[in-house]
C-alpha cells in the first residue's frame, strides 16, 4: 500500500472499480410492486365513464328523434284536421246526378203537413262571388270560390265541397209538386246511407234560426250521428242541417253536412263556421233566374 501517492499498481484481472450490487435474497421480487389506485380515484373514473356514455346516448336520441308535427293548416285558419266526408266520385254515396231515394222522415213534418207561406223572393241580384245557374229549373245562387269548390252538378243538383272545412253542401231542386216535407224526407233518406245513428240535435246552440232559402220561408232541422266510410266503418262524428222551401214553382232543399261538427274553429264550432259560410248561398238564392 502506497500511502503518500506513488505509482499505483495495476489491478488484478477481472477487477472492477464499481462497488458490487447489494445482496438480494433469491425469494425477494426483482422490482417493487406498483402502488394500487385509491378507492376515490376508482369512483371518479367510474362516474366519468357513466357521464360519457349518457352524453353519447343523449346525442344519439336527439339525432334520431322525428321532427315535430306540422299543423295541417296555418294558425287561425279554419280547417278540419282529418277529412272524414266521402268524396264525390268513384262510387261515393254522395249525390252524383242520381234521384234521391226515399228514407226515414226523422222527427220532421210528415208528408201532407201544412207548408209555411211562401212570399215572393226578394233576394238581391248582386253577384259578389261565383254565380251558379241551373237553366233546367231557372234558379241560381252564389258561392265563395275561396271557401267552396263546385265538385259535382247536374240538372236540379249541385254539390259544393269545403276547401278548409270538412264539409259538403247540397243544393237540390225539383218541381213544386214535391212538398217541402217530402223533399226533406228524401234528403234524409240519402243522408242515412252514410250517417248512422242519426238523432235530432236538440242543442239550442245548433238550432236553425228562421229557416229560409232566398228569403222564402221554409222548414228544416238539425241532426247528429256518425259518418261512415264506403265499407260502413265509422270514421268521425257528423252533423247535418237542412232546409227546404218552395215558391210554388219549384221546391228546393239545401243540405249542409259537417264532419267533426264540434271541433273548435276560433271562438265557435266547425258546424257554426260552415253554416255561417253557407248563409251566403241561402241569401243569394234567386228563384227566378231564367
Amino acid at each position: 500500500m502506497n500511502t503518500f501517492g506513488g505509482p499505483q499498481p495495476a489491478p488484478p484481472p477481472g477487477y472492477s472499480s464499481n462497488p458490487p450490487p447489494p445482496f438480494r435474497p433469491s425469494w425477494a421480487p426483482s422490482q417493487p410492486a406498483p402502488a394500487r389506485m385509491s378507492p376515490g380515484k376508482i369512483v371518479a373514473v367510474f362516474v366519468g365513464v357513466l357521464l360519457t356514455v349518457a352524453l353519447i346516448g343523449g346525442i344519439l336520441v336527439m339525432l334520431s328523434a322525428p321532427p315535430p308535427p306540422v299543423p295541417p293548416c296555418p294558425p287561425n285558419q279554419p280547417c278540419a284536421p282529418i277529412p272524414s266526408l266521402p268524396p264525390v266520385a268513384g262510387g261515393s254515396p254522395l249525390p252524383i246526378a242520381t234521384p234521391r231515394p226515399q228514407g226515414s222522415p226523422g222527427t220532421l213534418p210528415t208528408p201532407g203537413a201544412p207548408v209555411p207561406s211562401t212570399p215572393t223572393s226578394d233576394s238581391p241580384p248582386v253577384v259578389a262571388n261565383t254565380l251558379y245557374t241551373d237553366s233546367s229549373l231557372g234558379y241560381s245562387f252564389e258561392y265563395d270560390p275561396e271557401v267552396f269548390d263546385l265538385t259535382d252538378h247536374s240538372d236540379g243538383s249541385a254539390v259544393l265541397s269545403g276547401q278548409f272545412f270538412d264539409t259538403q253542401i247540397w243544393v237540390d231542386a225539383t218541381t213544386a209538386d214535391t212538398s217541402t216535407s217530402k223533399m226533406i224526407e228524401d234528403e234524409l233518406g240519402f243522408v242515412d246511407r252514410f250517417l248512422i245513428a242519426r238523432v235530432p240535435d236538440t242543442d239550442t246552440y245548433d238550432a236553425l234560426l228562421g229557416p229560409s232559402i232566398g228569403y222564402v220561408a221554409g222548414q228544416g232541422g238539425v241532426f247528429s250521428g256518425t259518418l261512415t266510410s264506403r265499407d260502413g266503418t265509422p270514421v268521425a262524428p257528423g252533423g247535418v242541417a237542412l232546409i227546404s222551401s218552395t215558391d210554388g214553382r219549384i221546391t228546393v232543399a239545401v243540405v249542409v253536412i259537417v264532419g267533426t261538427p264540434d271541433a273548435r274553429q276560433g271562438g265557435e264550432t266547425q258546424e257554426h263556421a260552415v253554416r255561417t259560410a253557407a248563409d251566403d248561398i241561402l241569401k243569394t238564392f234567386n228563384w227566378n233566374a231564367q
Side-chain angles (χ1 to χ4, degrees):
M1 180 177 66
N2 189 346
T3 306
F4 297 102
Q8 297 293 328
Y15 175 80
S16 174
S17 62
N18 296 325
F23 172 77
R24 183 183 301 275
S26 59
W27 49 263
S30 59
Q31 293 182 355
R36 294 184 178 181
M37 185 180 296
S38 66
K41 291 184 178 180
I42 295 176
V43 172
V45 171
F46 182 73
V47 172
V49 171
L50 288 180
L51 291 177
T52 302
V53 172
L55 179 61
I56 295 175
I59 293 174
L60 293 177
V61 170
M62 292 178 59
L63 293 177
S64 62
V70 179
C73 299
N76 301 322
Q77 293 295 322
C79 168
I82 304 177
S84 57
L85 294 178
V88 191
S92 165
L94 292 182
I96 45 175
T98 57
R100 297 284 185 266
Q102 294 186 5
S104 170
T107 59
L108 296 174
T110 56
V115 177
S117 60
T118 55
T120 302
S121 170
D122 58 355
S123 176
V126 178
V127 179
N129 295 302
T130 297
L131 180 67
Y132 175 83
T133 301
D134 187 310
S135 57
S136 66
L137 292 172
Y139 67 87
S140 67
F141 59 84
E142 297 176 28
Y143 66 92
D144 188 343
E146 295 184 356
V147 178
F148 298 105
D149 289 323
L150 181 66
T151 51
D152 190 57
H153 67 92
S154 62
D155 290 348
S157 179
V159 178
L160 301 169
S161 297
Q163 296 182 10
F164 305 105
F165 301 108
D166 186 16
T167 185
Q168 281 191 354
I169 297 177
W170 307 342
V171 181
D172 294 324
T174 186
T175 56
D177 54 355
T178 298
S179 66
T180 54
S181 56
K182 182 62 167 65
M183 191 76 168
I184 290 174
E185 177 185 351
D186 291 347
E187 297 289 346
L188 285 177
F190 206 77
V191 167
D192 286 341
R193 290 185 175 188
F194 55 86
L195 184 77
I196 60 175
R198 174 176 59 84
V199 295
D201 185 346
T202 58
D203 191 340
T204 55
Y205 180 73
D206 295 331
L208 295 176
L209 303 178
S212 65
I213 300 175
Y215 300 98
V216 173
Q219 50 185 317
V222 182
F223 299 86
S224 61
T226 301
L227 292 168
T228 62
S229 61
R230 296 178 184 177
D231 61 2
T233 303
V235 292
V240 175
L242 73 163
I243 300 172
S244 182
S245 301
T246 181
D247 67 346
R249 183 181 68 86
I250 61 175
T251 300
V252 178
V254 176
V255 184
V256 179
I257 308 165
V258 184
T260 56
D262 294 329
R264 303 303 300 181
Q265 297 291 348
E268 59 184 353
T269 63
Q270 180 166 220
E271 182 170 16
H272 266 249
V274 171
R275 283 164 54 175
T276 298
D279 277 344
D280 289 340
I281 298 173
L282 299 176
K283 293 176 181 177
T284 61
F285 192 92
N286 187 352
W287 292 84
N288 297 289
Q290 302 181 25

